[in-house]
Amino acid sequence: MKIRVAILSFAHMHAWSYAACLRQLPDVELCGIWDDNRKRGREAAERFETLFMADMDRLLARKPEAVIVTAENVRHRELVERAAQAGCWVLCEKPITTTIPDAKAMIQACAKAKTGLGTAFPCRYATPVKLAREKIQAGELGEIHAVTCTNHGQSPGGWFADERLSGGGATMDHTVHVADLLRWMLNREFTAVYAEVGNQLHRRDLKTDDLGSLHMTMQGGVQVNHIASWSRPKSFPTWGDVTMEFIGEKGVMRLDAFNQKIDVFDDDAGRLTWDGWGDNPDLGLVADFVEAVRHRRPPSVTGEDGLRALEVTLAAYRAARTGKTVAL
Amino acid sequence: MKLALIGCGGMGALHAAMAKAAGFEVVLCADAVEQAARDLAARHGARWSTNPESAARDVDADVVAIATPTPTHLPLIRAAAEAGKHIFCEKPFCRTVRECREAIRVAKKHRVKLFVGHVVRYFQEFEAMRHKIREGRIGNVGWVKLTRGGIMPGGLDSWFRDYVQSGGVTLDCMIHDFDWLRYVFGEPERVYAQALMRGEPHPMDYAQATLRFRGGLIATVIGIWAYPSGFRVTAEICGEKGMLRYDSNDASLAVHPRTVATGPTMIVPLNPVEKSPYQMEWEDFANWLAGGGEPRVTPGDAMAAVAMAEAALKSAETGQPVRFSGRIDA
């Protein structure tokens, strides 16, 4: 059976990658695109040879089995609820949304409609990450005592820089991936969060924060530092990174999830660029989602997972605001 | 100038060589462990002693260098100051701010010059980064990450493993970074830190700290005594116009010995320079003794670094950030 998937909004650039993944997978059809930005939606529809619809109800009336929601963060809830009401499985871009009540409402809407809700955490599908998790869970490092992580990026600008649409800056954008990986790799929940958050590097052109240094404690006392940032300069060789250093009783493991690259010295570009050659994690994410739809099961990374990661992010903002450690 | 060296371990041996290169004459090597004192003394044609306190008062010496475990610094500084000796003290200055203040007081009272070896201020790579920051190459700096460390130092019975004595990686190792941050970016406002301080079966320490400075800078410092081997320093400095990055493993020279010992094989990356930063700190001290200007690091600076480390340890204990109030260098 061919699974028909629609994409709601191309506001988030990841939509382009997810659309490409849908077209790569067998027995899947990208059956239509809705976008409140008609120009953007039409462009995407043309590129991926599918239908553009300016009226979301008309698109949902065509009964896609599933949708991918890649709108601005604060719009996730509305789109997910409407898709769930239409009986669709939903893959929602991260962060799941920007408030706890919204996230709970989204989870509830999908539960009520008996559809599956997934959060787009593609890092779980990065091959080096999967191997790192296997090693931890096989006990190769012994008990994990401490982890130091980064999720750096370049400043994305656009709606990401508008708190009314994004719910926050780099800390909102770049905490959830790593928070989710830590929960998944260590099988533990977070118990406390402290953070220093600020607009450290873009005071002229950005109203949100561009950096958070988060200190977290996980069950069993695992101590974690994570840097969520938009600190990479425009001249940086790539978009950013996801790194984790694990300090275990029996050993140390350093993960640089996207460090599978070729140095490209390009005179035309006038700078060094890093071109990746590793597996595409987005493909694993989208493939899992499609299989979930096909077998009417929840996606492997659920809405609950999205909620847990959001809780950490919001606790970091609260800690930064109050100057105190926040218990979870 | 004649130098009595107290503490003939790894740092003591290094300081003896560097002091000599800076024009000092090593006349006495003292260590509670006789063999260590004898071996180093033989290398420098000096006398040896197993009594650190009397070495601090040695009549022949003009200057005393202290490279002993941190909690012994204050009594040795006091003994040397009372005997009228100028003092070179390895970092950390003392175990606590209270001890630092007392050390400064006795040095002042006896009119001796006191220098604390915050050698990172002399490291060429750190100087290069500081100059680039000052020249505005990356614009206003908003975030810095410094990491430092590697294997747990010392042998199985080492004093480093007694965290009460050493203060762990936070006081002994990260103090370099605390000092350098304050040197370049000014006064800290608050610190939050987590520290591992594990005992048996595998003693290791690993600390993560974030500091907020009065100018708004956020600095993240990672201190490591937890790697199975090696030593590594990294720096990442982000400004509005760009970013500086340094990694000691990305070195100009690396030696890979073919012989495999029973323990882990350690590949030590080398970045050789004509003049060691340790020699430069000794020359800076010598210049001050000779009537030149104040050295790059003052006892007040060294005390401030201890204050930052102490605050980090307190934060790690309480799970809450610790604020600095008033001047921490006086």
Side-chain angles (χ1 to χ4, degrees):
Chain A
M1 184 187 81
K2 202 160 217 170
I3 302 292
R4 294 161 64 248
V5 183
I7 295 183
L8 303 184
S9 177
F10 271 63
H12 200 295
M13 56 277 198
H14 289 169
W16 297 89
S17 170
Y18 300 151
C21 291
L22 287 172
R23 303 215 338 143
Q24 247 177 286
L25 291 166
D27 299 323
V28 182
E29 184 196 344
L30 173 53
C31 68
I33 289 168
W34 169 86
D35 201 318
D36 59 348
N37 180 328
R38 285 174 189 231
K39 184 168 173 283
R40 187 171 62 202
R42 282 214 178 86
E43 266 172 32
E46 200 168 300
R47 159 104 171 265
F48 296 109
E49 298 170 310
T50 187
L51 182 74
F52 170 73
M53 286 201 174
D55 182 345
M56 195 193 311
D57 289 331
R58 278 188 59 208
L59 179 59
L60 292 175
R62 295 171 71 97
K63 297 281 169 202
E65 275 94 31
V67 302
I68 296 177
V69 172
T70 21
E72 298 87 345
N73 298 344
V74 299
R75 297 198 168 132
H76 287 176
R77 175 177 172 175
E78 187 208 336
L79 301 191
V80 168
E81 284 178 342
R82 285 172 75 173
Q85 276 157 20
C88 296
W89 251 242
V90 185
L91 177 63
C92 182
E93 180 56 30
K94 50 60 55 174
I96 183 164
T97 179
T98 60
T99 71
I100 303 292
D102 280 0
K104 287 184 174 163
M106 291 157 71
I107 292 166
Q108 210 169 11
C110 289
K112 202 171 140 201
K114 297 196 164 58
T115 68
L117 171 61
T119 308
F121 284 138
C123 292
R124 284 205 198 186
Y125 296 91
T127 309
V129 172
K130 287 193 281 188
L131 182 58
R133 177 174 181 262
E134 278 171 30
K135 287 179 180 297
I136 290 169
Q137 304 211 333
E140 282 187 41
L141 301 178
E143 193 193 340
I144 302 293
H145 299 308
V147 195
T148 296
C149 319
T150 63
N151 184 186
H152 292 303
Q154 293 168 314
S155 179
W159 64 265
F160 286 89
D162 183 349
E163 204 164 333
R164 290 165 304 177
L165 293 172
S166 63
T171 306
M172 179 60 77
D173 193 31
H174 278 178
T175 297
V176 289
H177 284 301
V178 167
D180 178 65
L181 288 183
L182 286 163
R183 291 181 59 242
W184 182 61
M185 296 169 96
L186 301 181
N187 288 330
R188 287 163 201 261
E189 296 294 340
F190 293 94
T191 57
V193 181
Y194 177 81
E196 291 286 350
V197 173
N199 180 334
Q200 303 300 104
L201 306 165
H202 301 87
R203 280 179 302 185
R204 264 166 301 187
D205 52 348
L206 194 64
K207 288 207 175 69
T208 64
D209 62 288
D210 59 10
L211 186 129
S213 182
L214 284 70
H215 290 266
M216 299 168 281
T217 311
M218 300 184 83
Q219 290 168 332
V222 181
Q223 61 185 62
V224 180
N225 172 252
H226 171 62
I227 307 296
S229 94
W230 293 335
S231 65
R232 301 302 92 163
K234 291 187 205 78
S235 52
F236 199 72
T238 190
W239 58 270
D241 68 19
V242 171
T243 73
M244 307 174 92
E245 172 174 274
F246 295 89
I247 305 298
E249 186 67 28
K250 286 160 62 178
V252 170
M253 178 168 69
R254 218 171 280 132
L255 168 68
D256 189 349
F258 299 98
N259 191 20
Q260 294 175 308
K261 71 198 196 242
I262 304 293
D263 287 343
V264 182
F265 297 88
D266 180 344
D267 282 348
D268 288 336
R271 65 181 175 99
L272 166 68
T273 58
W274 288 340
D275 284 11
W277 51 258
D279 298 328
N280 177 9
D282 287 353
L283 191 61
L285 172 80
V286 175
D288 173 81
F289 177 62
V290 169
E291 285 316 290
V293 178
R294 198 183 304 281
H295 299 290
R296 316 309 274 174
R297 63 160 169 87
S300 298
V301 194
T302 64
E304 293 282 347
D305 291 320
L307 170 62
R308 292 282 100 79
L310 176 64
E311 282 170 349
V312 173
T313 308
L314 296 178
Y317 278 112
R318 185 138 51 96
R321 223 168 31 240
T322 60
K324 290 203 173 71
T325 300
V326 173
L328 286 173
Chain B
M1 289 275 221
K2 290 179 178 173
L3 177 73
L5 173 77
I6 308 172
C8 301
M11 286 313 297
L14 179 61
H15 281 309
M18 294 298 137
K20 198 176 196 170
F24 291 83
E25 183 193 348
V26 182
V27 296
L28 174 65
C29 296
D31 198 299
V33 179
E34 184 180 322
Q35 199 57 47
R38 275 174 175 270
D39 288 351
L40 192 60
R43 226 184 296 164
H44 292 278
R47 290 175 290 119
W48 60 272
S49 159
T50 55
N51 187 334
E53 291 263 349
S54 70
R57 300 191 182 89
D58 189 73
V59 287
D60 196 29
D62 311 299
V63 176
V64 170
I66 299 167
T68 54
T70 309
T72 66
H73 287 184
L74 177 59
L76 292 172
I77 288 170
R78 189 184 283 123
E82 282 167 2
K85 316 290 183 194
H86 298 302
I87 300 155
F88 179 106
C89 182
E90 176 55 20
K91 51 68 20 202
F93 187 1
C94 292
R95 180 63 184 80
T96 64
V97 170
R98 186 192 289 258
E99 288 178 352
C100 293
R101 198 164 280 130
E102 172 63 8
I104 290 172
R105 195 190 65 79
V106 295
K108 201 171 271 173
K109 183 180 166 197
H110 296 283
R111 297 202 176 127
V112 297
K113 288 179 173 166
L114 172 59
F115 179 88
V116 182
H118 275 287
V119 72
V120 171
R121 292 195 184 202
Y122 297 86
F123 268 72
Q124 283 88 345
E125 56 270 45
F126 278 83
E127 275 296 88
M129 290 190 283
R130 189 172 71 90
H131 285 305
K132 280 176 212 320
I133 292 163
R134 299 195 83 169
E135 288 160 8
R137 282 285 293 279
I138 58 168
N140 192 48
V141 174
W143 178 66
V144 178
K145 184 173 188 176
L146 302 175
T147 79
R148 177 180 302 276
I151 197 168
M152 180 101 190
L156 287 172
D157 56 348
S158 167
W159 70 279
F160 286 113
R161 291 173 186 226
D162 179 346
Y163 300 123
V164 177
Q165 281 199 59
S166 70
V169 76
T170 308
L171 184 82
D172 198 77
C173 182
M174 291 160 92
I175 201 162
H176 283 300
D177 304 297
F178 294 149
D179 174 62
W180 192 78
L181 286 167
R182 186 178 158 274
Y183 179 43
V184 180
F185 300 107
E187 296 303 322
E189 190 169 306
R190 57 181 181 265
V191 61
Y192 183 92
Q194 295 167 285
L196 186 59
M197 297 193 170
R198 294 278 298 179
E200 297 301 329
H202 301 111
M204 64 177 113
D205 196 9
Y206 188 85
Q208 299 145 307
T210 295
L211 297 109
R212 177 74 83 151
F213 285 74
R214 285 188 197 160
L217 175 87
I218 295 175
T220 309
V221 183
I222 312 291
I224 306 137
W225 279 356
Y227 291 162
S229 66
F231 184 79
R232 185 184 188 192
V233 174
T234 70
E236 192 168 294
I237 301 170
C238 291
E240 288 176 326
K241 293 197 304 178
M243 165 176 161
L244 307 174
R245 203 154 69 165
Y246 167 76
D247 183 346
S248 65
N249 275 5
D250 187 16
S252 58
L253 184 64
V255 181
H256 301 234
R258 191 169 304 283
T259 49
V260 178
T262 47
T265 309
M266 200 195 286
I267 298 159
V268 182
L270 299 167
N271 266 313
V273 280
E274 285 238 340
K275 190 178 274 187
S276 159
Y278 292 92
Q279 183 178 335
M280 286 165 57
E281 67 175 347
W282 272 99
E283 288 179 354
D284 203 14
F285 179 48
N287 176 58
W288 187 32
L289 295 183
E294 278 226 331
R296 202 172 292 183
V297 48
T298 67
D301 294 329
M303 179 164 74
V306 172
M308 291 163 82
E310 242 190 341
L313 287 170
K314 189 175 164 204
S315 171
E317 206 182 301
T318 60
Q320 294 292 344
V322 172
R323 266 150 250 281
F324 299 99
S325 54
R327 287 191 63 176
I328 59 171
D329 62 344

